Amino acid sequence: MSDIRVIATGLSFPEGPVAMEDGSVVLVEIERQTVSRVRPDGRVEVIAHTGGGPNGMAVGPDGAFYICNNGGFAWRLEHGLLRPVIQASDYTSGRIERVDPATGKVNILYDGCNGHKLRGPNDIVFDAHGGCYFSDLGKSRARDRDHGGLYYALADGSKINEVAYPILTPNGVGLSPDGASVYVAETETARLWAFDIVAPGVVRKQPFPSPHGGRLVAGLGGYQRFDSLALDAHGNICVATLITGAVTSIAPDGRIVRQVKMPDPVTTNICFGGAGLRTAFVTLSGTGKLVALEWPEAGLRLNHNA
């Protein structure tokens, strides 16, 4: 594995990276409440101020950025690491937002589904049909926490439906190369689940004892936690892994292909870019860094991300 290169420092809990054709990486800074562009030389430019807690991000069919806004966190700095803790004191709800990359204008598309408020949308991926799957992690408070779920929504704000509920702390979301499966990483259990897609936004549910209709792909031992994920071109699911600080590559059959250690226990996100999509960009959120390294496999090209 090649050396890790630091692209940018001083970021305020970066997540949701999207590698652009011009060599920049657009990401969110959750604590700063912004969508920001990181240039190859490390310069950081703010594209939009969203408020709340911008979290996952993807390019939609119209070229705009679509944001999972978790509504905001309270923050704690310990041992030189920044981390989110409970729901922010000014929290109202979670939402899905559209950000115009040219003007920075922010529009709220969804803040609820079937009469229920979104709580803490976290990660998002678009399919070839122009709809997106997104996870809702829920919010934690001092004495209780929400259930989470998986949702599907159209980019024009016209339709949203619940795909699977409840899921314990669903985080990273990704699609298999053939678009036939949607993967969901469960944070607190470090389990990776798959749902087989039968139509856009509709999945085939597994019977009990599956807790939500997903089929278990893999789980990690010891105290590790899963964050967001990206797929490589071979279909391996590369999951950012908290506590141990790593990216765990998991084959569709559940084999652990490799675990690449990172210099931050709060390793939260990965995306692929560069020539041949062979460069992995990773957010080290605790220390506020965006880093890059060459990956053994090419990344999977995302729908609508030219």
Side-chain angles (χ1 to χ4, degrees):
M1 192 67 65
S2 60
D3 293 337
I4 296 172
R5 311 187 307 277
V6 176
I7 306 297
T9 60
L11 301 170
S12 295
F13 212 88
E15 285 213 43
V18 177
M20 309 301 291
E21 285 295 308
D22 64 0
S24 68
V25 175
V26 178
L27 46 72
V28 302
E29 295 182 73
I30 303 180
E31 194 269 344
R32 194 182 183 191
Q33 303 179 341
T34 64
V35 178
S36 305
R37 185 186 301 274
V38 179
R39 297 290 181 182
D41 63 3
R43 287 181 295 123
V44 180
E45 306 161 356
V46 172
I47 294 174
H49 293 268
T50 65
N55 206 302
M57 180 169 60
V59 175
D62 58 354
F65 297 117
Y66 288 78
I67 310 295
C68 286
N69 194 313
N70 64 48
F73 290 119
W75 296 89
R76 183 173 297 163
L77 181 64
E78 286 182 314
H79 310 297
L81 297 172
L82 183 67
R83 62 184 179 91
V85 280
I86 60 174
Q87 176 178 298
S89 60
D90 60 352
Y91 169 86
T92 55
S93 74
R95 60 251 191 197
I96 301 299
E97 298 170 326
R98 179 189 183 275
V99 173
D100 187 314
T103 66
K105 183 180 180 181
V106 181
N107 290 323
I108 297 176
L109 297 180
Y110 304 99
D111 65 0
C113 178
N114 299 332
H116 301 284
K117 284 287 190 182
L118 298 177
R119 301 300 300 164
N122 188 283
D123 200 17
I124 182 170
V125 65
F126 274 91
D127 65 13
H129 306 284
C132 64
Y133 293 87
F134 70 90
S135 60
D136 188 329
L137 183 79
K139 302 298 283 186
S140 296
R141 292 161 294 276
R143 306 283 298 198
D144 66 288
R145 72 188 309 162
D146 301 316
H147 292 304
L150 176 67
Y151 297 84
Y152 184 81
L154 298 183
D156 62 5
S158 65
K159 182 181 179 181
I160 181 172
N161 67 274
E162 185 180 278
V163 177
Y165 185 93
I167 305 175
L168 178 64
T169 59
N171 198 314
V173 175
L175 289 168
S176 59
D178 60 4
S181 299
V182 56
Y183 295 103
V184 180
E186 210 171 55
T187 295
E188 298 301 340
T189 62
R191 288 176 180 156
L192 179 65
W193 298 90
F195 294 85
D196 299 320
I197 299 169
V198 297
V202 181
V203 299
R204 181 181 299 107
K205 297 290 184 70
Q206 300 295 314
F208 178 84
S210 173
H212 39 56
R215 54 181 173 83
L216 182 65
V217 178
L220 299 186
Y223 182 35
Q224 302 182 76
R225 302 165 75 230
F226 276 162
D227 207 290
S228 293
L229 61 84
L231 275 86
D232 69 28
H234 298 291
N236 299 316
I237 307 99
C238 305
V239 191
T241 306
L242 304 166
I243 309 301
T244 50
V247 175
T248 306
S249 180
I250 303 171
D253 63 6
R255 291 178 296 107
I256 306 302
V257 177
R258 69 179 63 86
Q259 191 170 66
V260 180
K261 293 290 185 178
M262 294 288 155
D264 187 332
V266 193
T267 298
T268 56
N269 246 284
I270 178 174
C271 75
F272 293 101
L277 298 180
R278 297 302 295 261
T279 301
F281 295 95
V282 180
T283 50
L284 306 183
S285 300
T287 53
K289 296 175 183 176
L290 174 68
V291 301
L293 67 158
E294 299 313 304
W295 202 256
E297 295 85 25
L300 176 67
R301 185 170 294 280
L302 297 173
N303 295 308
H304 317 298
N305 194 8

